[in-house]
């Protein structure tokens, strides 16, 4: 039986503060099934967006080095079984970057990882999804975060 969808290029958008690694199995299974290339995309908000989101305060991202190590580990895990993986770090407005990346001609699928966060952060994430979905002309998969964060337990 042949699938109606052929995903050859998958973008997996990850954030520094979630457990995206727990969804690697799903991404890896899709990549292997469709022999697809995977781009792991991390969008770091612009300085202006960080200040706006933090009510006028800017917090230096001490976790940048840890994030890069985490993304390299994710890349190594996904590369098992011959999956071709690339990393891309982008600074900008999250919504704009996701729309631009997902609408590239070679992108076939956008995968997002849903956070288990506070009510405010879930509201913010829901607004991002509401704002980007009308503008993305590709399928979007939103994977649930399968680990409860320490902050919400």
């Amino acid at each position: 039986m042949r699938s109606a969808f052929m995903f050859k290029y998958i973008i997996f958008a990850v954030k520094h503060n979630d457990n995206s690694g727990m969804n690697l199995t799903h991404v890896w299974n899709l990549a292997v099934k469709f022999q697809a290339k995977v781009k792991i995309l991390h969008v770091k908000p612009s300085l202006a967006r960080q200040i706006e989101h933090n009510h006028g305060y800017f917090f230096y991202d001490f976790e940048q080095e840890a994030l890069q190590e985490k993304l390299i580990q994710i890349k190594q895990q996904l590369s098992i079984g011959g999956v071709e993986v690339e990393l891309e770090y982008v600074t900008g407005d999250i919504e704009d970057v996701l729309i631009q990346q997902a609408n590239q001609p070679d992108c076939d699928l956008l995968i997002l990882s849903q956070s288990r966060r506070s009510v405010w952060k879930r509201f913010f994430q829901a607004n991002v999804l509401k704002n980007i979905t009308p503008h993305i002309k590709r399928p979007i998969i939103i994977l649930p975060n399968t680990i409860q964060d320490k902050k919400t337990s």
Side-chain angles (χ1 to χ4, degrees):
M1 182 173 146
R2 188 169 175 195
S3 173
F5 296 103
M6 293 301 294
F7 303 119
K8 293 296 177 189
Y9 191 75
I10 298 170
I11 296 178
F12 180 37
V14 297
K15 299 181 297 293
H16 73 283
N17 59 354
D18 68 11
N19 292 306
S20 301
M22 296 307 299
N23 287 316
L24 283 178
T25 304
H26 301 297
V27 176
W28 185 83
N29 285 335
L30 282 170
V32 168
K33 178 177 181 172
F34 294 106
Q35 299 176 345
K37 179 178 180 179
V38 175
K39 177 195 285 187
I40 301 169
L41 174 67
H42 172 69
V43 182
K44 181 178 180 180
S46 64
L47 179 60
R49 183 70 178 243
Q50 290 180 49
I51 292 171
E52 174 188 326
H53 185 67
N54 292 309
H55 308 289
Y57 296 97
F58 170 69
F59 298 102
Y60 180 75
D61 188 3
F62 292 103
E63 299 176 347
Q64 189 64 28
E65 192 172 308
L67 167 68
Q68 290 176 353
E69 289 177 21
K70 175 184 173 182
L71 294 180
I72 289 169
Q73 289 174 350
I74 291 172
K75 178 181 178 181
Q76 290 169 344
Q77 291 171 348
L78 279 175
S79 296
I80 296 171
V83 174
E84 186 179 343
V85 181
E86 66 178 276
L87 294 176
E88 185 169 345
Y89 306 91
V90 179
T91 300
D93 181 73
I94 295 169
E95 295 168 3
D96 292 342
V97 171
L98 289 175
I99 291 167
Q100 184 268 333
Q101 292 278 326
N103 286 330
Q104 291 179 1
D106 57 349
C107 177
D108 297 312
L109 175 66
L110 175 65
I111 299 177
L112 304 171
S113 202
Q114 185 178 27
S115 296
R116 294 182 89 182
R117 294 290 187 183
S118 68
V119 171
W120 172 249
K121 291 199 179 197
R122 283 196 306 262
F123 173 77
F124 175 74
Q125 184 177 26
N127 279 338
V128 168
L129 292 173
K130 183 179 82 174
N131 291 339
I132 68 171
T133 51
H135 304 287
I136 294 178
K137 307 303 180 212
R138 308 284 187 270
I140 302 172
I141 295 177
I142 302 167
L143 297 173
N145 193 333
T146 55
I147 290 184
Q148 181 147 357
D149 289 321
K150 293 175 187 172
K151 292 180 183 178
T152 59
S153 47

